[in-house]
Amino acid sequence: MVRRTRLISRATAVATTLLLTTGPVPAAGAATPGPANPTARRLNTYWTPARMAAALPAPAPPAAPAAPGTAAAAPADGPRPGEFIPPSRSFDGIPPVGTFFWTDAGGTGRTCSASVVHSPDHDLVLSAGHCLKGYSGTAPARNLGFVPQYHDGLKPFGIFPVRSNGVYVPQEYYDKGEHAGAAYDFGFAVTEPNQDGERLEDAVGAVRLLTGTGSFHAPVRMIGYPGGAPKPLECLSWTTRWAGDDPADPGTFERIACDGFVGGTSGGPMLVPWPGGWAVIGIIGGYHTGGNTPQISYSASFGSATRDLYDAATTGAPPAAPAS
């Protein structure tokens, strides 16, 4: 126990040093903007500070029913006795991390967290599958756009519309659903330029997508936007392997302890230091769509399915869709 405590303390100290010295990912460079984007201009007008502040977290899926003749599972997915829960703090955010805003079928504003990942066309955003799954092919009509480094009602870099038919969620997630498909709870969205014609990564930089790196990472910087909060939260912690104890949500996930990560933080990145900035090794989602308590969060493991989905999104392959 003493050795583990020392390792955790050292990881926290290293994370603090890296946070202070590495800083946010720099922008990709001085690319020449294209023509002004009228769709982005419309969204920039629609998403006023009041509408963004009033947006609600993506609705949580209903609990999975127990199998006939069995009792419902009692998952032990909260803090463990005596477990240290690293604190979170409110801050102004970093350019490659922000929020999706959209309107649901009833016209209610919704929000989820997300991050810009490096891609050949400088236009890709990573979030949770349960945030993006309902918007394939309908993004412009549902006011779906990404606001990098949103804070205090501000859009420092404008808003980047999601391209029509530009939402990529694994087919397994559509077919299995939020619970049985929890191991596939991730997705990508291809964006259009902002109102000034700037491509997303050219404007704000990006984080690197890492897959196949396992479940154990330290230090980890997690960032997310609690629904209705004026600023994002960040927390320094570490990830471990979690084998789901709920038969309705099967799979192996990354588990992280951080205080205060409530609804709206879904899709927020779990970042590790990387040359020049940060790399993403997970997002808030997966097991119980990210967990049942504000202290413990989860991510689907990033492996070959994540890389295949990235390849589909960056090559323009037709996105998956729910079965008709």
Side-chain angles (χ1 to χ4, degrees):
M1 179 62 71
V2 172
R3 176 174 172 77
R4 177 171 175 79
T5 301
R6 286 175 179 168
L7 288 172
I8 289 171
S9 299
R10 185 174 182 275
T12 303
V14 170
T16 302
T17 302
L18 287 165
L19 176 59
L20 294 175
T21 58
T22 308
V25 179
T32 302
N37 185 348
T39 302
R41 283 184 174 176
R42 180 185 65 79
L43 289 184
N44 195 48
T45 299
Y46 179 83
W47 287 112
T48 63
R51 279 186 170 137
M52 290 188 292
L56 302 175
T70 64
D77 65 340
R80 296 160 181 155
E83 180 175 12
F84 172 65
I85 306 297
S88 59
R89 74 176 186 100
S90 178
F91 75 128
D92 284 347
I94 61 174
V97 179
T99 51
F100 277 117
F101 290 103
W102 71 92
T103 50
D104 63 19
T108 299
R110 298 288 183 178
T111 183
C112 259
S113 304
S115 56
V116 183
V117 294
H118 175 66
S119 64
D121 291 333
H122 292 196
D123 57 4
L124 201 62
V125 185
L126 167 69
S127 189
H130 69 268
C131 293
L132 295 173
K133 67 182 180 66
Y135 304 97
S136 181
T138 62
R142 302 285 287 278
N143 301 309
L144 177 58
F146 177 68
V147 178
Q149 203 179 0
Y150 167 74
H151 67 91
D152 300 299
L154 302 176
K155 293 169 281 189
F157 303 94
I159 188 166
F160 294 79
V162 173
R163 185 180 303 169
S164 179
N165 216 34
V167 172
Y168 288 80
V169 173
Q171 187 67 56
E172 293 89 343
Y173 195 68
Y174 286 125
D175 294 345
K176 296 174 181 289
E178 293 93 343
H179 295 286
Y184 299 94
D185 189 4
F186 46 79
F188 296 97
V190 182
T191 62
E192 298 179 5
N194 66 6
Q195 61 272 20
D196 296 324
E198 295 176 297
R199 294 186 301 178
L200 179 57
E201 189 175 335
D202 296 335
V204 305
V207 302
R208 292 280 175 171
L209 175 68
L210 298 185
T211 59
T213 59
S215 301
F216 299 91
H217 300 92
V220 174
R221 182 187 191 188
M222 189 161 71
I223 301 175
Y225 283 80
K231 298 176 185 289
L233 295 177
E234 69 173 350
C235 173
L236 298 173
S237 189
W238 57 94
T239 59
T240 57
R241 181 179 180 273
W242 171 263
D245 62 352
D246 184 348
D249 288 60
T252 300
F253 308 91
E254 293 176 37
R255 179 186 189 273
I256 185 170
C258 271
D259 195 24
F261 281 76
V262 297
T265 61
S266 287
M270 300 174 187
L271 304 172
V272 295
W274 193 255
W278 302 94
V280 59
I281 49 86
I283 51 94
I284 300 172
Y287 182 77
H288 290 187
T289 58
N292 290 339
T293 73
Q295 295 82 27
I296 305 298
S297 300
Y298 299 88
S299 171
S301 296
F302 281 6
S304 59
T306 315
R307 180 57 59 178
D308 289 346
L309 191 67
Y310 173 89
D311 290 343
T314 55
T315 57
S324 56

